[in-house]
């Protein structure tokens, strides 16, 4: 949909009508602490092959609790068997081995130790991980629900994972991989510096080396996968991440649109690979920010040329993809002032009067689910573009309009919307493993 200029006054005038319709059409929700009761409201989306669950911030307890409750319902009652999240593959792989009762891997890093640690090292997510492990206990290996990471940032960890795998199965190939990946060695700890060096010019890129390494690994698929298909799949995915990460960091300084699209394409391709590997019975739940799982074509992002997982899923799966957004008006959030900075608990400003969040606040329901697919009159009332808030790992409340609001058409962006009027920050786990506890802290991996 093209951008349509709508005045703030027009948005305010139509907010009351829209709020009245939301009040009449939405379903009040229990607390997500009651996982069974909360999750039952989402049976209406169980026919989908992919259910995408968003979040309006990366640091809100209620969003994690809600997604956990919904996922439990979809896994236990409706056969969903893949949970894929906005996280690095190597860290998620450690969690996957834990929840599927597989032998521990050889990754050396603490799980989810990279900034922002609180995004996955928090009490709410820890509770879900332990539930998933308990759910899988006693089930046949092929029926266990798996946990996967979709993101592209793990250049260093993924290089180490590929080499560690080849060291076990083919030492000669491992030596070749070390030589090829050696091109990236100067930037493994700070991959953004690789992009800066390529921007300045005067050096050859590492593209050819990482593409060659992936090609050789895939060419040996039959030799390697016969020994352990799980380990080969993990190594191949890490090689794909190295290729994607090299490209991502190489282009990141040329403009945000191209790097954003590359990242979302990689996440979508990873999701497709997970579904294909699991076979015809595969059904996935995706956890990611609203900006990734809503249909970008219905937002200012899409109007300026960006796409995301939600739009790609809508195109690929049609009605078999359910896109569920989340929102809040106020409360607290775990976030940082700048990238790499310390986490703080911040106050979330009440929503702007000309935003979708204000419409749901005016509806007066503390927690609600609005199925936008089944309410034509509500869709019409919400069809004019409004502002919508997105808080990531950075929150700048003093510059909220510029930093965190964008225009969107909510009923085209999401199939349903989950609303919490007031929310609270996640409870982060300790940043470092306390002395004397197992190496697998904090998840018992």
């Amino acid at each position: 949909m093209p951008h349509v200029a709508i005045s703030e006054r027009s948005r305010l005038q139509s907010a009351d009508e829209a709020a009245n319709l939301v009040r009449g059409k939405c379903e009040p929700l229990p607390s997500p602490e009651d996982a069974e009761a909360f999750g039952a409201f989402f049976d209406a989306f169980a026919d989908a092959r992919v259910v995408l669950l968003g979040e309006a911030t990366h640091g809100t307890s209620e969003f994690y609790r809600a997604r956990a409750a919904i996922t439990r319902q979809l896994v236990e009652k409706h056969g969903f068997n893949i949970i894929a999240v906005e996280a690095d593959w190597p860290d998620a792989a450690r969690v996957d081995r834990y929840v599927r009762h597989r032998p521990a891997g050889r990754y050396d890093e603490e799980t989810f130790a990279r900034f922002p640690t609180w995004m996955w090292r928090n009490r709410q997510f820890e509770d879900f991980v332990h539930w998933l492990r308990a759910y899988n206990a006693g089930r046949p290996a092929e029926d266990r629900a798996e946990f996967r990471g979709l993101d592209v940032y793990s250049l260093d960890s993924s290089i180490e994972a590929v080499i560690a795998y080849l060291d076990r199965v083919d030492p000669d190939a491992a030596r070749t991989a070390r030589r090829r990946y050696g091109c990236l060695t100067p930037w493994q700890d700070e991959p953004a510096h690789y992009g800066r060096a390529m921007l300045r010019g005067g050096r050859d890129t590492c593209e050819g080396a990482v593409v060659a390494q992936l090609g050789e690994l895939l060419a040996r698929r039959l030799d390697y996968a016969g020994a352990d298909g799980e380990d080969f799949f993990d190594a191949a995915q890490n090689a794909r991440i190295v290729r994607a990460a090299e490209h991502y960091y190489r282009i990141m300084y040329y403009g945000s649109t191209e790097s954003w699209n590359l990242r979302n394409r990689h996440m979508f391709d990873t999701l497709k690979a997970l579904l294909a590997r699991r076979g015809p019975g595969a059904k996935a739940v995706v956890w990611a920010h609203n900006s990734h799982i809503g249909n970008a074509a219905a937002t200012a992002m899409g109007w300026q040329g960006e796409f995301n997982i939600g739009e790609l899923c809508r195109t690929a799966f049609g009605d078999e993809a359910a896109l569920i957004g989340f929102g809040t008006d106020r409360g607290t959030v775990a976030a940082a002032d700048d990238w790499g900075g310390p986490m703080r608990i911040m106050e979330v400003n009440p929503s702007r009067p000309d935003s979708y969040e204000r419409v749901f606040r005016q509806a007066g329901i503390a927690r609600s689910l609005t199925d936008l697919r089944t309410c034509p009159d509500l869709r019409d009332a919400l069809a004019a573009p409004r502002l919508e808030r997105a808080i990531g790992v950075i929150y700048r409340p003093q510059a909220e309009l510029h930093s965190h609001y964008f225009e969107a058409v909510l009923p085209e962006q999401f199939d349903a919307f989950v609303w919490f009027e007031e929310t609270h920050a996640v409870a982060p786990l300790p940043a470092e493993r306390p002395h004397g506890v197992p190496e697998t802290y904090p998840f018992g991996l």
Side-chain angles (χ1 to χ4, degrees):
M1 175 178 177
H3 171 77
V4 179
I6 304 293
S7 71
E8 180 175 346
R9 178 176 295 180
S10 297
R11 287 168 175 154
L12 294 174
Q13 289 173 343
S14 61
D16 288 339
E17 175 191 357
N20 288 333
L21 285 168
V22 168
R23 189 180 305 115
K25 300 292 186 181
C26 74
E27 295 181 284
L29 291 171
S31 168
E33 301 288 340
D34 187 347
E36 184 173 355
F38 189 95
F41 281 85
F42 295 82
D43 287 341
F45 306 97
D47 289 339
R49 190 178 183 204
V50 179
V51 175
L52 298 99
L53 304 177
E55 58 181 356
T57 88
H58 277 322
T60 294
S61 173
E62 284 80 0
F63 297 156
Y64 282 84
R65 294 290 189 202
R67 293 188 300 188
I70 298 165
T71 303
R72 287 178 57 168
Q73 182 76 5
L74 294 175
V75 169
E76 285 185 312
K77 305 294 176 57
H78 302 288
F80 282 72
N81 47 24
I82 299 167
I83 300 99
V85 306
E86 184 186 347
D88 289 336
W89 178 275
D91 288 302
R94 294 181 67 190
V95 177
D96 180 62
R97 282 188 289 274
Y98 175 65
V99 300
R100 289 201 287 150
H101 301 266
R102 297 186 62 232
R106 296 181 60 183
Y107 296 110
D108 296 323
E109 294 180 354
E110 294 283 358
T111 308
F112 302 121
R114 182 181 62 80
F115 177 89
T117 56
W118 66 91
M119 188 171 163
W120 297 112
R121 290 171 64 90
N122 61 67
R123 298 294 180 194
Q124 292 75 18
F125 178 65
E126 180 188 37
D127 289 345
F128 175 74
V129 167
H130 291 319
W131 171 83
L132 188 56
R133 178 176 168 85
Y135 169 81
N136 280 331
R139 302 179 68 85
E142 65 273 14
D143 291 341
R144 293 171 185 166
E146 60 191 270
F147 181 87
R148 302 294 191 175
L150 298 175
D151 226 327
V152 73
Y153 292 126
S154 58
L155 179 67
D156 184 39
S157 298
S158 289
I159 287 175
E160 291 178 1
V162 174
I163 292 174
Y165 171 77
L166 290 174
D167 274 336
R168 295 196 304 274
V169 302
D170 190 341
D172 288 340
R175 284 190 285 272
T176 302
R178 282 187 173 88
R179 175 177 54 79
R180 287 174 173 149
Y181 288 154
C183 177
L184 289 165
T185 298
W187 298 284
Q188 276 185 240
D189 292 336
E190 296 289 347
H193 294 176
Y194 171 69
R196 193 174 302 137
M198 295 305 104
L199 182 65
R200 291 171 180 163
R203 301 189 63 136
D204 292 334
T205 76
C206 298
E207 180 181 14
V210 300
V211 169
Q213 182 55 49
L214 174 60
E216 182 172 311
L217 187 68
L218 295 178
R220 301 291 302 277
R221 177 186 287 108
L222 295 180
D223 297 331
Y224 294 156
D228 188 327
E230 286 273 5
D231 282 353
F232 172 77
F233 180 72
D234 180 68
Q237 182 58 29
N238 277 300
R240 290 187 179 96
I241 291 166
V242 176
R243 181 190 64 177
E246 183 277 334
H247 191 186
Y248 177 86
Y249 288 112
R250 176 159 43 87
I251 67 173
M252 65 182 297
Y253 290 105
Y254 287 93
S256 59
T257 296
E258 189 175 358
S259 57
W260 171 271
N261 287 348
L262 185 151
R263 182 180 171 216
N264 278 268
R265 171 66 69 179
H266 171 82
M267 290 197 280
F268 174 69
D269 287 345
T270 301
L271 176 63
K272 284 199 304 179
L274 291 168
L275 290 166
R277 186 171 185 277
R278 195 83 192 214
K283 302 180 76 174
V285 184
V286 176
W287 293 19
H289 197 279
N290 285 349
S291 58
H292 290 294
I293 69 94
N295 183 359
T299 72
M301 295 163 48
W303 304 336
Q304 65 186 23
E306 295 179 347
F307 57 76
N308 63 3
I309 310 169
E311 181 178 354
L312 294 171
C313 282
R314 174 64 74 233
T315 301
F317 304 119
D319 292 340
E320 289 192 302
L323 283 52
I324 303 177
F326 287 65
T328 186
D329 177 66
R330 62 190 182 275
T332 59
V333 67
D337 296 303
D338 294 291
W339 188 262
M343 189 213 81
R344 297 201 297 116
I345 304 300
M346 303 186 189
E347 293 288 333
V348 177
N349 291 332
S351 55
R352 287 177 54 88
D354 51 346
S355 67
Y356 280 112
E357 287 84 356
R358 184 58 65 90
V359 171
F360 283 83
R361 171 181 167 175
Q362 288 182 209
I365 309 296
R367 293 181 299 269
S368 66
L369 167 64
T370 303
D371 190 336
L372 297 164
R373 304 171 303 177
T374 60
C375 306
D377 50 349
L378 178 57
R379 289 179 61 88
D380 289 344
L382 296 175
R386 290 179 182 272
L387 294 179
E388 184 182 317
R389 182 164 56 191
I391 299 172
V393 297
I394 309 301
Y395 184 41
R396 298 188 174 108
Q398 295 80 10
E400 230 190 20
L401 177 59
H402 174 74
S403 300
H404 299 289
Y405 278 98
F406 61 96
E407 284 197 323
V409 179
L410 193 84
E412 295 178 15
Q413 182 186 10
F414 301 118
D415 295 311
F417 195 67
V418 179
W419 173 250
F420 292 90
E421 184 171 321
E422 186 170 1
T423 50
H424 305 85
V426 293
L429 293 166
E432 296 181 359
R433 180 172 49 85
H435 178 71
V437 304
E439 291 291 332
T440 51
Y441 182 89
F443 298 118
L445 307 184

